[in-house]
Amino acid sequence: MAGKLRARLRNHEVLTDRPDYALVGVLRIPEVVRSPYQLIFRRVMMAVAVLMLAVLVVYLDRDGYRDVQEDQMSFLDCLYYATVSLSTTGYGDITPLTPSARLVNVIVITPLRVLFLIILISTTMAALTERSRQAFKIQRWRHTMRNHTVVVGYGTKGRTAVDAMLGDGIAPSEIVVVDTDQTVLESAASLGLVTVHGSATKSDVLRLAGVQNAASIIVATNRDDTAVLVTLTAREVGPKAKIVAAIRETDNAHLLRQSGADSVVVSSETAGRLLGIARTTPTVVEMIEDLLTPEAGFAIAEREVERDEIGGSPRHLSDIVLGVVREGRLVRVGSPEVDAVEENDRLLYIRRVSN
């Protein structure tokens, strides 16, 4: 079955084989938002810098230039000549006479003139500059991104998962969102998240998102069958990544685990249980919501065992410990297996979150 599914997921157009400039619009790296006044000021300063460089070049070789009165060039004359040359005005009242001056004009002044015009023509060049900048960022990101989190699906579940991670202090640049809806990707990009436009059931889209180097993958699709296909593909591309998947029906949980999911969250069942509990004890639901909200109140967290805690009982620690993670397996407090805390254990506990 797995072989048939993999064959079904093959895509003839491999995105990862495309050059970086061809990925602009598919993979989007967040931009640092700047004021338009800052952008205009920066562009003007670049133009002034190019002009000053041209003035310096002409001034150093001023003996090779003469004006219509055959006078020697002053600094003001050099500034005037550089300005009319770079702006392509060219009145002709100052001309290079010596071979060295003419050579400098060909090799230095002419390229500076072109650069000066490129800087000033902002409307046309802005789009080209933006595309080139994105291509460069994509190239750098693909070579440096490691141990990040890939979120497949940016619907209600995906957005909530991202909010929880941001609340835990994860940098937005370490989260990659994959979705087929360009509108929701725009929303994710506004938060500073890296976005990939495409179907996560295709292995090349996941490779473009860096799943092969990711630390964790969150599958938050709207359909259970899609979640199974995404999980199967993600496990094949990223065999070492931790995969957490959300589904609607409990009957599909075993399919997710067989496809390679490390953890499966049944959204409809969890919501149904909370609804049933809220009927008689609504305060319990409030406490559960508090534990699942990292911004304030209480939160469930995991930490390493401190040196002075080794050998002690997890029930007698200063923190309220719910369980002990030993060799990747959760053992609840009260089990004889975790009467004493060991060096390599991790503690699942309730921590206080300040406002």
Side-chain angles (χ1 to χ4, degrees), residues 164-236:
M165 288 187 288
L166 296 177
D168 285 336
I170 298 178
S173 58
E174 297 181 4
I175 302 174
V176 181
V177 174
V178 181
D179 205 298
T180 56
D181 190 339
Q182 189 64 49
T183 303
V184 301
L185 291 180
E186 292 289 341
S187 176
S190 66
L191 297 177
L193 310 178
V194 179
T195 62
V196 176
H197 182 251
S199 173
T201 59
K202 300 177 181 178
S203 59
D204 59 326
V205 172
L206 293 181
R207 288 191 178 93
L208 189 60
V211 164
Q212 63 275 17
N213 299 317
S216 56
I217 304 165
I218 296 176
V219 181
T221 57
N222 294 325
R223 294 169 54 96
D224 288 3
D225 54 350
T226 305
V228 173
L229 292 175
V230 171
T231 302
L232 180 65
T233 310
R235 178 52 69 204
E236 183 179 28

Side-chain angles (χ1 to χ4, degrees), residues 87-334:
S87 62
T88 67
T89 305
Y91 293 114
D93 50 350
I94 299 177
T95 57
L97 296 179
T98 64
S100 62
R102 293 176 177 177
L103 182 63
V104 169
N105 258 262
V106 173
I107 298 177
V108 180
I109 300 299
T110 300
L112 288 179
R113 181 185 298 119
V114 175
L115 179 60
F116 188 79
L117 293 175
I118 289 176
I119 293 174
L120 293 183
I121 304 174
S122 58
T123 304
T124 303
M125 293 305 300
L128 297 178
T129 303
E130 169 68 18
R131 191 173 185 88
S132 299
R133 188 164 57 244
Q134 272 291 315
F136 174 75
K137 286 190 174 185
I138 289 172
Q139 181 184 38
R140 184 176 58 183
W141 182 85
R142 293 179 68 184
H143 284 88
T144 59
M145 196 61 170
R146 298 289 186 277
N147 299 322
H148 56 290
T149 300
V150 178
V151 179
V152 177
Y154 199 64
T156 303
K157 292 178 289 187
R159 286 195 300 269
T160 306
V162 169
D163 291 341
M165 288 187 288
L166 296 177
D168 285 336
I170 298 178
S173 58
E174 297 181 4
I175 302 174
V176 181
V177 174
V178 181
D179 205 298
T180 56
D181 190 339
Q182 189 64 49
T183 303
V184 301
L185 291 180
E186 292 289 341
S187 176
S190 66
L191 297 177
L193 310 178
V194 179
T195 62
V196 176
H197 182 251
S199 173
T201 59
K202 300 177 181 178
S203 59
D204 59 326
V205 172
L206 293 181
R207 288 191 178 93
L208 189 60
V211 164
Q212 63 275 17
N213 299 317
S216 56
I217 304 165
I218 296 176
V219 181
T221 57
N222 294 325
R223 294 169 54 96
D224 288 3
D225 54 350
T226 305
V228 173
L229 292 175
V230 171
T231 302
L232 180 65
T233 310
R235 178 52 69 204
E236 183 179 28
V237 176
K240 297 181 180 180
K242 181 178 181 180
I243 300 179
V244 181
I247 56 173
R248 295 176 179 271
E249 302 296 334
T250 309
D251 295 341
N252 297 324
H254 72 285
L255 294 176
L256 266 297
R257 292 191 175 90
Q258 289 178 359
S259 300
D262 298 289
S263 300
V264 178
V265 178
V266 183
S267 58
S268 59
E269 184 175 290
T270 302
R273 288 177 179 173
L274 291 177
L275 290 172
I277 294 173
R279 184 182 63 84
T280 54
T281 53
T283 52
V284 173
V285 178
E286 291 182 15
M287 177 56 68
I288 293 175
E289 291 179 346
D290 187 12
L291 292 174
L292 295 176
T293 305
E295 288 81 7
F298 295 99
I300 299 177
E302 186 178 310
R303 66 174 176 85
E304 296 179 353
V305 174
E306 298 179 0
R307 186 173 297 276
D308 57 354
E309 294 175 339
I310 298 174
S313 173
R315 290 175 293 183
H316 299 154
L317 300 180
S318 57
D319 294 321
I320 301 176
V321 179
L322 302 177
V324 176
V325 181
R326 180 170 295 173
E327 297 179 353
R329 185 171 58 92
L330 174 63
V331 183
R332 291 170 177 79
V333 171

Side-chain angles (χ1 to χ4, degrees), residues 19-66:
D20 295 318
Y21 63 82
L23 296 174
V24 177
V26 179
L27 176 61
R28 180 174 177 179
I29 310 299
E31 292 278 356
V32 177
V33 180
R34 294 187 177 92
S35 166
Y37 299 104
Q38 290 179 335
L39 295 177
I40 293 174
F41 178 78
R42 181 181 178 185
R43 193 175 295 271
V44 170
M45 289 298 100
M46 291 173 62
V48 171
V50 172
L51 176 61
M52 289 299 102
L53 179 59
V55 172
L56 177 62
V57 170
V58 175
Y59 185 76
L60 292 177
D61 195 30
R62 60 188 179 277
D63 294 336
Y65 294 82
R66 287 292 183 275

Side-chain angles (χ1 to χ4, degrees), residues 9-18 22-23 26 202-205:
L9 296 174
R10 286 174 186 158
N11 185 23
H12 297 292
E13 186 184 13
V14 181
L15 292 176
T16 51
D17 291 342
R18 292 185 183 180
L23 296 174
V26 179
K202 300 177 181 178
S203 59
D204 59 326
V205 172

